[in-house]
Amino acid sequence: MEAGYASQHYAASFAEFGELVRLPRSGIHLLRRTAAPGLCDYSGLYPFVLARDWAALKDDFDDLRSEDAVAAVIVTDPFAQEQVAALEGRFDVLHKFKRHFIVDLTGDWRGQQRNNTRQYARRGLEAATVTVCPASGADGEDFWRIYEHTIGRHDVTSIAAFSQNALVAQLATPGAYLVKAIQNDEITGLMLAYQNNMIISLHLIGVTALGRQNFANYALIQAALDWADKQGAHYVNLGGVAGNQNDETNGLALFKRGFTKDSRWTYLCGQVLNQPNYDRLSGAAAGTGFFPAYRAPATVPPKAECGA
């Protein structure tokens, strides 16, 4: 059974953001969205996509070409960095996007942790009771209440901000696990993780003000790592930084780097499906380096007619 990011159930959690499309060769799920009146584009699911055959992706993208299509873009699986890098030259855009911090449980992963990270994790685990169990949609209300603060504090926007309904569906996805921190009968932190074969990906984390004071974020990740190790998993993906830039000097990157020295790259992979449509929508934004250019932050697509 497909689990986690590979699951149809996970893909369906994004249905409110666009029409779901599954590419037949690569098996990747995309969202078909309105790019402008009468025009559409395709985007991979957050935070990255899994493929059963990366070499088939170009043919899948080519099949999306039409009079009303504009572009397709995805972020690739960090555990496929070698296969994706081998596709250089086949797409209009293919470049390193974000570094994901990876804990290799087959090695001395505890020895890679920084001393202050171990200290904060220990203090967090002493302050709260932390448990790991299969996730359920019933946890959605509590998780959303806490995650809303994360959205506000880190200015999370677009599809990464989700919705409560989307979060409930993601909690109910096969392979989903919930890490929960409780202090004085109060939930101080929650984390959603997905297991797919021997890889566990930490998907979402939210902590309360009390949780931040008592290092609940460190405790949640440490508990997840200890649990994953006992499960016999090989890797835990801590994820990358937020936003559209790979800023490894920000606090989130420094926090994750405290747990591991290992990393893998995701790639941004994009294809223009109709050049006249793309040029018309992009306009002055074409030189921003963002892909697709017309979706660059603060860019408002101009009106266009279908097939124009």
Side-chain angles (χ1 to χ4, degrees):
M1 180 179 66
E2 292 182 332
Y5 293 140
S7 168
Q8 176 68 35
H9 197 116
Y10 178 78
S13 73
F14 291 93
E16 65 190 271
F17 301 103
E19 177 189 350
L20 280 171
V21 175
R22 187 162 194 176
L23 302 183
R25 300 177 182 86
S26 62
I28 286 174
H29 288 96
L30 299 179
L31 282 175
R32 185 180 187 270
R33 309 173 298 176
T34 299
L39 297 177
C40 70
D41 62 9
Y42 298 86
S43 175
L45 305 183
Y46 175 87
F48 56 82
V49 299
L50 304 178
R52 60 172 174 255
D53 184 358
W54 287 102
L57 181 60
K58 182 61 165 63
D59 289 337
D60 274 342
F61 273 6
D62 286 342
D63 286 347
L64 297 174
R65 297 180 185 275
S66 67
E67 286 298 315
D68 64 345
V70 185
V73 63
I74 62 170
V75 176
T76 66
D77 175 10
F79 288 94
Q81 65 175 13
E82 291 83 8
Q83 298 98 303
V84 173
L87 301 177
E88 185 177 2
R90 300 192 65 189
F91 300 91
D92 292 322
V93 172
L94 185 66
H95 60 73
K96 288 178 178 178
F97 181 52
K98 288 185 184 180
R99 189 193 304 272
H100 280 222
F101 299 97
I102 307 297
V103 179
D104 182 354
L105 298 176
T106 67
D108 180 21
W109 62 273
R110 290 184 175 87
Q112 287 201 14
Q113 293 182 346
R114 292 177 176 170
N115 289 335
N116 62 341
T117 295
R118 284 196 292 267
Q119 178 184 3
Y120 294 147
R122 183 169 58 251
R123 290 169 65 179
L125 291 168
E126 290 172 350
T129 300
V130 184
T131 58
V132 183
C133 63
S136 164
D139 301 302
E141 184 175 348
D142 286 333
F143 208 138
W144 182 249
R145 174 175 49 81
I146 295 175
Y147 188 61
E148 275 190 304
H149 294 290
T150 301
I151 293 172
R153 288 180 64 245
H154 296 286
D155 194 26
V156 180
T157 60
S158 187
I159 195 172
F162 302 121
S163 69
Q164 184 170 352
N165 288 338
L167 181 54
V168 168
Q170 290 177 15
L171 286 163
T173 293
Y177 288 86
L178 187 69
V179 189
K180 180 184 295 188
I182 298 178
Q183 182 177 345
N184 299 329
D185 297 324
E186 175 186 337
I187 297 175
T188 57
L190 290 168
M191 183 167 68
L192 173 60
Y194 289 123
Q195 182 171 13
N196 190 355
N197 296 321
M198 294 292 101
I199 298 172
I200 293 174
S201 299
L202 307 188
H203 179 56
L204 288 179
I205 185 171
V207 297
T208 65
L210 179 60
R212 289 193 296 274
Q213 293 172 13
N214 290 282
F215 307 105
N217 49 348
Y218 288 88
L220 290 169
I221 291 182
Q222 187 63 50
L225 293 175
D226 291 337
W227 168 80
D229 194 24
K230 292 176 181 176
Q231 290 284 107
H234 292 175
Y235 301 98
V236 175
N237 180 6
L238 304 184
V241 299
N244 296 310
Q245 303 295 326
N246 187 55
D247 179 8
E248 296 186 13
T249 65
N250 71 21
L252 184 58
L254 296 175
F255 167 68
K256 292 180 178 181
R257 194 178 292 122
F259 286 94
T260 181
K261 298 177 182 178
D262 293 338
S263 63
R264 289 174 176 260
W265 282 97
T266 62
Y267 280 71
L268 189 76
C269 179
Q271 187 73 32
V272 174
L273 302 178
N274 185 304
Q275 196 68 53
N277 287 344
Y278 187 85
D279 293 342
R280 186 177 300 112
L281 290 189
S282 297
T288 63
F290 196 91
F291 189 88
Y294 55 86
R295 288 199 181 271
T299 298
V300 178
K303 292 184 177 180
E305 298 301 326
C306 180

